């Protein structure tokens, strides 16, 4: 076992950094050293930011997004189109759609997908709130922005069934050729979906 | 250790940031897991979807190791099956059910049947009946096979209309009449070599009730897990089409 090169506080910092996505033990050690070298400019403010985020971060009771306020910034934004509701699997998907700026709508985070393999059923998803929100007469369309995976599409079809009682239009994202995609390199499944879902040009 | 085989993907779960642990039902090596390095890449993800048929090359230093898979897509069914409600629910149910097979134990008959059912999962005229037959095959492979060839009481192979929930054996109309309220209905298409080729909705419903009873009692309850909701979702979706 390698000998510790620093005190327990620094070793603990390295251990915790190594748990972050994209960081292994070596890169965590480098990041820790960088933070220590920039103690005043980086380590102190980062520690403060971590503490404040830890105190104030919460799950939005309306949509399931993470934010420091409840309702979250998106749910409180009056400029968003209240007639559109975008259903996503995870907060990361919500952030991806917001980054793209493709839709000025409100969101609903399911918190996962149905997965019989992992024993995740409908009771594990944030579905009750979705039906309640979709039943609001102000909502005209629910967009199912779920992954094009078997679990994602199983969930999409299940959510469509659940929303049948809400009497709202349900749509889903198109499947097909991605931007920059060359047909020669696409898999047969994507190509077939693209052909089936072709649109007038 | 090294082998090459064909397999149907049952599941693929992320491992680390770029790899995936894939679970296959292979023809000669049974249900087998392995690591696919770079399995979360854009080119690999469409291939590593449940239901797809792949050519798998497995390598490991020792037989008991997880090992690494190199996979090449042969028949990519997943994208097609995702389109319709019934077929995607059916695919999820089939994957879930097949995972109950013991690991690394060859079940070539299940492999062949699974491929056949997946190929016809979109055809709602025959898919429900095929799924019921697959469930019967799984019950048999798991050691709880039903004997639908002759009457448990009289030995006759004619007029079989019930199944005894106790023994899992067929019962003829005459022998079962006094106990009709306690017996399970045996649809025509499961009798002998197939009976009527085009079962109606009532037959399909009876078939799913029959297999559902034994799957629940003999397979899921002893494991302490409920029958996945997706089975009921498939039955409802297939009935609506």
């Amino acid at each position: 076992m390698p000998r510790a090169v620093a005190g327990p506080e620094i070793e603990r910092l390295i251990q915790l950094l190594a748990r972050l996505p994209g960081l292994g033990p070596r890169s965590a050690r480098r990041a820790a050293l960088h933070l220590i070298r920039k103690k005043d400019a980086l380590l102190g403010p980062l520690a403060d930011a971590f503490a404040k985020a830890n105190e104030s971060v919460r799950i939005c009771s309306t949509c399931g997004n993470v934010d420091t306020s409840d309702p979250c910034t998106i749910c409180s934004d009056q400029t968003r189109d209240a007639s559109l509701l975008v259903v996503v699997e995870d907060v990361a998907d919500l952030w991806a759609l917001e980054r793209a700026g493709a839709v000025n709508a409100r969101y609903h985070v399911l918190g996962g997908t149905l997965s019989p393999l992992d024993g995740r059923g409908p009771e594990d998803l944030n579905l009750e709130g979705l039906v309640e929100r979709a039943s609001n007469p102000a909502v005209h369309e629910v967009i199912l922005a779920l992954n094009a995976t078997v679990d994602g599409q199983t969930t999409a079809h299940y959510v469509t069934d659940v929303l049948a009682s809400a009497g709202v239009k349900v749509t889903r994202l198109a499947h097909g050729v991605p931007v920059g995609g060359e047909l020669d390199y696409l898999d047969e499944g994507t190509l077939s979906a693209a052909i089936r879902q072709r649109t007038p040009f | 250790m090294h082998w090459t085989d064909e397999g149907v993907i049952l599941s693929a779960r992320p491992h680390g940031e770029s790899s995936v642990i894939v679970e296959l039902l292979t023809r000669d090596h049974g249900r087998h897991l392995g690591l696919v390095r770079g399995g979360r890449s854009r080119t690999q993800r469409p291939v590593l979807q449940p239901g797809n048929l792949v050519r798998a090359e497995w390598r490991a230093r020792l037989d008991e190791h997880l090992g690494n898979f190199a996979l090449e897509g042969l028949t990519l069914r997943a994208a097609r099956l995702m389109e319709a409600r019934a077929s995607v629910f059916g695919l999820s149910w089939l994957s879930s059910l097949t995972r109950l097979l013991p690991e690394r134990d060859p079940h070539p008959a299940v492999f062949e049947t699974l491929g056949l059912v997946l190929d016809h999962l979109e055809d709602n005229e025959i898919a429900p009946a095929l799924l019921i037959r697959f469930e019967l095959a799984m019950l048999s492979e798991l050691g709880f096979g039903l004997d639908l060839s002759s009457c448990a009481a009289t030995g006759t192979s004619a007029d079989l209309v019930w199944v005894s929930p106790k023994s899992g054996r067929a019962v003829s109309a005459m022998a079962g009449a006094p106990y009709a309220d306690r017996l399970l209905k045996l649809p025509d298409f499961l009798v002998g070599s197939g009976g009527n080729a085009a079962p109606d909705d009532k037959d399909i419903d009876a078939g799913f009730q029959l297999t559902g009873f034994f799957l629940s009692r003999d397979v899921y309850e002893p494991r302490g897990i409920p029958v996945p909701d997706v089975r009921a979702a498939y039955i409802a979706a297939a009935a609506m089409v």
Side-chain angles (χ1 to χ4, degrees), chain A residues 21-22 117-118 122 150 154 161, chain B residues 13 17 49 85 92 99 229:
Chain A
L117 302 179
D118 298 323
V150 170
T154 302
D161 289 347
Chain B
R13 60 188 66 228
E17 298 211 8
Q49 291 297 311
R85 177 187 281 108
S92 288
R99 285 188 84 205
D229 294 325

Side-chain angles (χ1 to χ4, degrees), chain A residues 68-126:
Chain A
T68 52
S69 58
D70 185 11
C72 68
T73 311
I74 291 175
C75 289
S76 317
D77 185 352
Q78 296 301 317
T79 64
R80 286 179 183 266
D81 185 352
S83 69
L84 267 182
L85 192 59
V86 182
V87 177
V88 292
E89 176 189 332
D90 193 65
V91 175
D93 300 332
L94 186 158
W95 287 1
L97 285 167
E98 279 297 290
R99 212 166 48 233
V103 61
N104 183 37
R106 296 200 169 142
Y107 293 88
H108 192 87
V109 181
L110 288 177
T113 51
L114 296 175
S115 177
L117 302 179
D118 298 323
R120 218 168 31 240
E123 63 282 355
D124 299 312
L125 305 185
N126 180 15

Side-chain angles (χ1 to χ4, degrees), chain B residues 15-163:
Chain B
H15 181 77
E17 298 211 8
S18 58
S19 301
V20 168
I21 292 178
V22 170
E23 186 174 13
L24 298 177
L25 179 69
T26 58
R27 189 192 306 273
D28 301 323
H29 299 85
R31 188 169 70 86
H32 207 292
L33 282 85
L35 184 77
V36 177
R37 294 192 189 280
R40 297 181 76 182
S41 70
R42 281 187 185 184
T43 50
Q44 283 280 289
R45 268 183 291 186
V47 178
L48 303 183
Q49 291 297 311
N52 285 343
L53 180 71
V54 294
R55 181 179 306 285
E57 194 178 343
W58 182 78
R59 283 177 194 275
R61 194 167 64 80
L62 296 174
D63 194 36
E64 58 265 36
H65 284 177
L66 174 66
N68 292 297
F69 272 139
L71 302 179
E72 182 193 349
L74 294 177
T75 310
L76 304 185
R77 308 180 178 104
R80 190 166 40 83
L81 296 176
M82 275 182 217
E83 294 290 318
R85 177 187 281 108
S87 58
V88 77
F89 288 157
L91 173 58
S92 288
W93 166 234
L94 285 169
S95 306
S96 172
L97 182 60
T98 311
R99 285 188 84 205
L100 298 177
L101 289 172
E103 219 180 311
R104 303 189 178 194
D105 187 26
H107 293 270
V110 175
F111 174 81
E112 297 294 345
T113 315
L114 179 64
L116 182 79
V117 180
L118 287 171
D119 283 340
H120 294 90
L121 207 48
E122 286 170 294
D123 184 353
N124 214 54
E125 290 292 312
I126 57 170
L130 288 174
L131 225 85
I132 291 167
R133 288 186 181 282
F134 184 78
E135 290 180 345
L136 283 174
M138 280 297 295
L139 278 167
S140 178
E141 293 287 331
L142 293 169
F144 304 101
L146 309 186
D147 180 358
L148 307 178
S149 59
S150 61
C151 175
T154 63
T156 178
S157 56
D159 208 15
L160 301 173
V161 294
W162 311 106
V163 175

Side-chain angles (χ1 to χ4, degrees), chain A:
Chain A
M1 192 175 161
R3 279 189 299 179
V5 293
E9 295 83 1
I10 295 175
E11 286 297 333
R12 175 86 178 132
L13 176 65
I14 293 168
Q15 277 174 11
L16 290 173
L17 285 172
R19 289 193 201 169
L20 295 176
L23 293 186
R26 288 173 75 96
S27 43
R29 204 164 278 277
R30 258 197 332 268
L33 191 58
H34 185 74
L35 288 169
I36 291 162
R37 278 183 185 145
K38 308 242 177 193
K39 192 178 166 202
D40 293 334
L42 213 51
L43 187 58
L46 193 64
D48 287 344
F50 275 143
K52 280 180 186 159
N54 186 37
E55 274 172 27
S56 55
V57 81
R58 63 202 67 203
I59 307 290
C60 175
S61 56
T62 307
C63 71
N65 186 17
V66 289
D67 206 339
T68 52
S69 58
D70 185 11
C72 68
T73 311
I74 291 175
C75 289
S76 317
D77 185 352
Q78 296 301 317
T79 64
R80 286 179 183 266
D81 185 352
S83 69
L84 267 182
L85 192 59
V86 182
V87 177
V88 292
E89 176 189 332
D90 193 65
V91 175
D93 300 332
L94 186 158
W95 287 1
L97 285 167
E98 279 297 290
R99 212 166 48 233
V103 61
N104 183 37
R106 296 200 169 142
Y107 293 88
H108 192 87
V109 181
L110 288 177
T113 51
L114 296 175
S115 177
L117 302 179
D118 298 323
R120 218 168 31 240
E123 63 282 355
D124 299 312
L125 305 185
N126 180 15
L127 284 172
E128 275 180 33
L130 174 63
V131 176
E132 198 178 307
R133 294 181 76 192
S135 303
N136 185 335
V139 176
H140 295 152
E141 183 178 350
V142 174
I143 303 172
L144 301 177
L146 297 169
N147 293 333
T149 59
V150 170
D151 283 349
Q153 292 310 300
T154 302
T155 310
H157 287 294
Y158 186 85
V159 171
T160 309
D161 289 347
V162 167
L163 290 178
S165 60
V168 67
K169 180 182 173 189
V170 180
T171 56
R172 67 165 192 183
L173 299 186
H175 297 166
V177 183
V179 173
E182 294 175 34
L183 298 190
D184 192 21
Y185 288 94
L186 288 182
D187 65 286
E188 298 91 317
T190 305
L191 282 172
S192 306
I195 289 288
R196 276 197 302 275
Q197 295 174 31
R198 65 191 184 275
T199 54
F201 188 61

Side-chain angles (χ1 to χ4, degrees), chain B residues 124-133 186-191 194-208:
Chain B
N124 214 54
E125 290 292 312
I126 57 170
L130 288 174
L131 225 85
I132 291 167
R133 288 186 181 282
L186 174 60
D188 257 3
F189 75 101
L190 296 179
V191 179
N196 59 339
D200 60 18
D201 291 350
K202 281 184 181 172
D203 286 336
I204 294 297
D205 192 43
F208 277 123

